[in-house]
Amino acid sequence: MNPNTLFYEPSGRINPIGLAAAYIAGLLITSLLAYLYTLIVQFIPLIYFNFLITVGFGIALGVLVRLLTKLTQNRSLQHQLILAIVLGLFANYCQWVGFVVYAVMGSIPSIGDYYLNLGLITAPDTFFGVIGEINRVGMWEVFGIPFNGVILTIIWLLEFAIIAAFPVIGVYKAKPIPYAEDLQTWYPKYELDTDFEAILGPDRFVERLRENALTALQELEPGKAWKYSKAHIHYLPEATHQYLSIEKIYIEERGQGNKEVEEVINNFRLDRQMAKAILDAFPYRKEKWEW
């Protein structure tokens, strides 16, 4: 972390042993998820439902990458992206193995048969030959229209893109969680149980935070039921620096519609005394898990 910055910046460091463990665990869990994905798709061959299942599979991979990142103390965006890309590609390969084995056997493969055939890539003539034959003749039709050739290829490419892209998108969209390098631990997160007025000018409010963060929060008006701000503190008593984040929340149709959350201040650095003063001044609750 740059000591001169106003906000938290990930160090980019990794735990080599943890990173290796992330790949081992990630590949194993991904192969299991791919097997389950194959089972569901074959049991329920409805194209619209399968699209939702594919999206769910991609989201699950994104969650897996985030979970492995936190458990193995990975603070490097580059390594997180590489892990996401590897798992996304491996997931696509594994679900294809399940599909090819299903096509050859004519029935859902047992998990033993599935794992025994994960090395099919070493027999490209068989692997790609079966895929080519499936593409030529198709395996299902909708309203009497067979899905094969170019149409099936487009569906496969879309499926590949969804499964591969979601983990990467998840890494890019994830907010950095402060990590205490000297203590080798993530900061716990606390939410202030106070609805503040919506902050419309983040840059101006940052200047107020620099002057006195506690006073800046205390001077905010109460929020409205459908438009307000929530403040969060990453607080670790043993650490020198603590961090404040603020979200602006808007609920459409004056509280009856969709909820929109926008991060307006992300991990503004506080000293230990100021963070403790804020927690003493407002009721708060500890968040169980942060993604």
Side-chain angles (χ1 to χ4, degrees):
M1 184 193 73
N2 183 349
N4 298 318
T5 186
L6 293 175
F7 301 91
Y8 173 77
E9 294 179 357
S11 66
R13 298 176 185 174
I14 60 170
N15 178 336
I17 296 177
L19 185 63
Y23 275 98
I24 294 172
L27 293 173
L28 176 59
I29 295 172
T30 296
S31 67
L32 288 171
L33 290 174
Y35 177 70
L36 293 175
Y37 172 75
T38 302
L39 291 182
I40 295 172
V41 168
Q42 301 311 320
F43 271 122
I44 311 176
L46 300 175
I47 187 168
Y48 302 113
F49 185 78
N50 286 352
F51 174 77
L52 296 177
I53 293 300
T54 301
V55 171
F57 186 23
I59 292 174
L61 291 173
V63 172
L64 175 62
V65 171
R66 186 64 170 171
L67 180 63
L68 292 173
T69 292
K70 188 168 184 182
L71 291 178
T72 59
Q73 301 180 331
N74 182 348
R75 289 93 71 200
S76 167
L77 178 61
Q78 178 183 7
H79 281 284
Q80 292 173 26
L81 286 173
I82 293 173
L83 177 62
I85 292 170
V86 169
L87 294 189
L89 294 176
F90 186 65
N92 269 297
Y93 169 70
C94 287
Q95 66 95 7
W96 262 111
V97 168
F99 187 47
V100 168
V101 174
Y102 166 75
V104 172
M105 295 178 58
S107 61
I108 300 295
S110 67
I111 193 166
D113 289 332
Y114 166 73
Y115 275 107
L116 285 174
N117 285 280
L118 274 186
L120 267 179
I121 195 67
T122 60
D125 290 344
T126 300
F127 185 64
F128 293 107
V130 173
I131 292 175
E133 184 63 15
I134 293 172
N135 183 266
R136 185 181 70 83
V137 302
M139 290 188 67
W140 69 88
E141 59 182 38
V142 177
F143 302 121
I145 302 174
F147 275 69
N148 59 7
V150 175
I151 296 177
L152 187 54
T153 299
I154 293 173
I155 292 174
W156 284 347
L157 290 175
L158 180 60
E159 178 186 49
F160 175 89
I162 291 172
I163 295 173
F166 267 75
V168 175
I169 293 172
V171 170
Y172 271 115
K173 292 185 67 175
K175 295 179 290 187
I177 302 173
Y179 183 88
E181 298 293 335
D182 53 342
L183 301 173
Q184 296 187 345
T185 186
W186 302 103
Y187 279 72
K189 186 178 182 181
Y190 300 86
E191 180 179 270
L192 302 188
D193 282 333
T194 301
D195 291 347
F196 300 100
E197 65 178 286
I199 296 174
L200 303 178
D203 292 339
R204 292 195 302 272
F205 194 71
V206 165
E207 292 303 316
R208 294 171 62 188
L209 291 175
R210 293 183 65 181
E211 295 171 3
N212 188 303
L214 175 58
T215 301
L217 289 173
Q218 289 176 327
E219 290 177 348
L220 289 174
E221 297 293 330
K224 299 178 181 179
W226 50 277
K227 186 169 67 174
Y228 56 94
S229 296
K230 297 295 291 187
H232 306 265
I233 299 280
H234 282 98
Y235 180 70
L236 193 62
E238 301 85 358
T240 302
H241 301 298
Q242 318 295 326
Y243 300 93
L244 168 70
S245 297
I246 299 179
E247 297 173 338
K248 182 174 66 176
I249 299 171
Y250 173 70
I251 304 176
E252 296 176 351
E253 300 176 11
R254 290 186 172 267
Q256 304 301 316
N258 295 325
K259 182 178 180 180
E260 298 179 1
V261 180
E262 177 188 355
E263 192 91 15
V264 293
I265 294 175
N266 189 18
N267 293 326
F268 177 82
R269 194 178 70 190
L270 304 170
D271 60 45
R272 184 189 303 126
Q273 292 76 17
M274 180 59 70
K276 182 65 167 58
I278 292 173
L279 291 176
D280 288 340
F282 297 96
Y284 62 87
R285 61 180 179 84
K286 183 178 181 180
E287 300 191 14
K288 294 182 180 180
W289 185 262
E290 181 179 8
W291 292 96

